[in-house]
Amino acid sequence: MADSAQLRRKRLKLSGTIENLAMTDRISNLPDHLLCQILSLLPTKQAVLTSILSNRWKLLWIWVSNFDFDDRICEQQRDKIDDKKDHMSFAQFVSRVLLLCNTRPIKKFHLKCDSLTSNSFDINTWVSTAIARKVEQLELSVSFDLVQNFELSHSLFTCKTIVGLKLNGGDGGSIILNVTSPVHFPFLKNLHLEEITYKNEDSFRRFFSGFQVLENLVVKAFYFMEDAYADFEINLPNLLEAELDFIQDNSDWTLLLLKAVTNTAYLSVSALTTTIIDYEIACFGPFPGSFPNLTRLKLGFDCYSWNLLKIFLKKSPKLEVLVIDKVCFLKEWRCPQLVPTCLSSTLSTLTVKGYQSPEYVQEFIRYILRSARILKTITISSTSGSEEKFCILKKLASFPRSSRNCQLFFY
C-alpha cells in the first residue's frame, strides 16, 4: 500500500510538472512569423540549434531573414568535440545554411571571419549570394594575416538594394577595395569603413563617387597599396552625420574627407585626426571650408593648440552642442577678436571630458560663459581628487555668465 501511495504521488508530481512546462512554454505557441523574428535576433548557429527542440521548431530557422555568421563560434564548438572529423567546418556550415534558406530576401547579413578557416573565394561567394537575394544590411568583418588579404568582389559595387554597409578589415586592413569601374549604390544611407585598404587613389575616388543619398558616414583608418594623391574632391550632398578617426599621418587625405563632410549636421573627429588637421592649418593656413548645417560637434584633443576649435566655432554658425574630449592643451587660450555667431545665438550645451591643464581650460570656459548667450548646461569631467575638484568648481562657479539659465555640472 505504501509503495502504491508513493507511486501515485510521483505520478501526480510528474503530471503537475508536465502541466507547468506546458504553461511556461508559451514561446512555442506563438505564430510562425513571430518565432522567425525571434530567431532572426540570434546568431545563426544558435538559431539552427533550435531545430532539435521539437518538430514545431525543426524547420522554422530556414525562414529567417537575418543571418549572423561568426567563425569563432564554430571553432569554439569544434574544440569541444573529440572527433573533429564529425564536425562541420565553418565554410560548410555557411554554404549549407544559405543553400537551405534560399526562398526569402535577406534583410541583414553579418559575416565575421577572423581565422583562416575560410578563403577569399568562399567569402565572395557568400557576399554575392546575399546580394542576389536583395540584402539590405551587409556587415563584413575580415581579419587575415598579410598573406591572406581579401579583395572584395566587384558585384558589391553596384548593389541596388543595400541600405547599410559596414566593412572592417581588422588590424592592417585585410579588406582590399580594387575598384576598376563606376560604383552605384542608389539606396545606401549608412556606411561604416574601418581598416580598409584601397588599391590606389582611383579605387578610392571611384568608390566614394557612388554615394549620392548617403546620410551617415564612419571612416576609421585606411591604407593604400600604391602611392596615392588626394588631388580630387568628394561630393556627399545628403550627408547628415559623420565620424572621422584616422591613424595615418597624411594631412592631404584627412582634409579631403573633412571637406567632403562640411554639409553634415553632426560631426565627430578623433584626437589624432584633429592633430593632423591642426598641423595642416599651422603649415598652410586656415581650413578653407565652412560647416553651415553643423549643429553637434565632438572633437578629441591631445596636447596641441586651440586653433582648430576656434575655426570650428567661427565656421559653424548653427552649432548647438559642443563636446570636447580628452582636453590637454599646452598653449593658453586667447580670445578671438570677434565672438562667433554660434556663441551669441545657438550654442546651448558644452561638455568637456578629461579636464586637464586647468589654468588654460579655465580661461576657455570663462570665455564661453561670458559669450554664450543662450547656454543651458556646461558639464565637465575630471580625474582630479575630490579636494581639487571642489576648488576648480568653486572657481568656475564664480565666472560671470551671459546666460542666466546656464547650469554648471562638475564631476
Side-chain angles (χ1 to χ4, degrees), residues 215 236 239-242 260-267 291-296:
E215 295 180 355
L236 302 173
L239 198 66
L240 298 177
E241 297 186 2
V261 301
T262 52
N263 286 326
T264 189
Y266 169 77
L267 178 61
F291 300 85
N293 302 314
L294 189 65
T295 58
R296 294 179 295 146

Side-chain angles (χ1 to χ4, degrees), residues 331-351:
K331 296 182 180 180
E332 62 180 316
W333 167 263
R334 293 184 179 180
C335 300
Q337 294 181 351
L338 298 175
V339 176
T341 301
C342 65
L343 293 186
S344 59
S345 61
T346 59
L347 187 69
S348 61
T349 303
L350 171 65
T351 301

Side-chain angles (χ1 to χ4, degrees), residues 44 48 90 196 203 208 321:
T44 302
V48 173
F90 176 70
I196 303 300
S203 293
F208 274 91
V321 178

Side-chain angles (χ1 to χ4, degrees), residues 165-373:
L165 175 63
K166 183 175 182 178
L167 302 177
N168 187 337
D171 294 336
S174 291
I175 294 180
I176 298 175
L177 297 184
N178 181 16
V179 187
T180 58
S181 57
V183 173
H184 183 52
F185 291 97
F187 297 106
L188 184 65
K189 293 186 177 181
N190 304 297
L191 178 64
H192 184 120
L193 302 170
E194 186 168 354
E195 298 282 347
I196 303 300
T197 299
Y198 298 89
K199 178 71 174 179
N200 46 42
E201 65 184 71
D202 287 337
S203 293
F204 188 99
R205 176 178 53 79
R206 291 191 184 103
F207 186 67
F208 274 91
S209 67
F211 309 129
Q212 296 306 306
V213 299
L214 191 68
E215 295 180 355
N216 302 286
L217 173 66
V218 177
V219 180
K220 295 186 176 182
F222 58 91
Y223 314 92
F224 289 96
M225 298 182 68
E226 303 173 1
D227 291 338
Y229 303 95
D231 55 357
F232 54 90
E233 294 184 356
I234 297 174
N235 183 27
L236 302 173
N238 295 296
L239 198 66
L240 298 177
E241 297 186 2
E243 180 180 347
L244 305 180
D245 184 4
F246 309 142
I247 62 172
Q248 71 277 16
D249 186 8
N250 190 323
S251 57
D252 290 342
W253 289 98
T254 303
L255 287 180
L256 172 71
L257 282 172
L258 185 61
K259 293 176 183 177
V261 301
T262 52
N263 286 326
T264 189
Y266 169 77
L267 178 61
S268 174
V269 186
S270 70
L272 183 54
T273 307
T274 58
T275 300
I276 297 172
I277 300 171
D278 189 73
Y279 174 80
E280 178 78 8
I281 292 171
C283 294
F284 304 104
F287 177 71
S290 62
F291 300 85
N293 302 314
L294 189 65
T295 58
R296 294 179 295 146
L297 173 64
K298 180 180 179 181
L299 287 179
F301 279 99
D302 187 11
C303 299
Y304 282 86
S305 72
W306 297 89
N307 290 339
L308 185 59
L309 177 57
K310 291 180 180 179
I311 290 174
F312 271 110
L313 290 175
K314 179 181 179 181
K315 294 178 176 291
S316 307
K318 296 181 181 180
L319 189 64
E320 299 175 3
V321 178
L322 174 61
V323 178
I324 304 176
D325 198 7
K326 298 180 181 179
V327 182
C328 182
F329 293 96
L330 293 180
K331 296 182 180 180
E332 62 180 316
W333 167 263
R334 293 184 179 180
C335 300
Q337 294 181 351
L338 298 175
V339 176
T341 301
C342 65
L343 293 186
S344 59
S345 61
T346 59
L347 187 69
S348 61
T349 303
L350 171 65
T351 301
V352 179
K353 300 180 180 180
Y355 181 88
Q356 298 181 46
S357 303
E359 64 276 13
Y360 298 148
V361 180
Q362 285 177 12
E363 291 305 311
F364 165 70
I365 295 175
R366 183 199 296 269
Y367 172 76
I368 294 295
L369 285 170
R370 186 177 68 244
S371 305
R373 296 179 181 178

Side-chain angles (χ1 to χ4, degrees), residues 382-402:
S382 173
T383 57
S384 303
S386 300
E387 293 185 4
E388 185 179 356
K389 284 183 178 179
F390 178 77
C391 294
I392 296 173
L393 178 59
K394 186 177 180 180
K395 185 173 182 179
L396 294 177
S398 67
F399 293 163
R401 308 181 190 186
S402 177

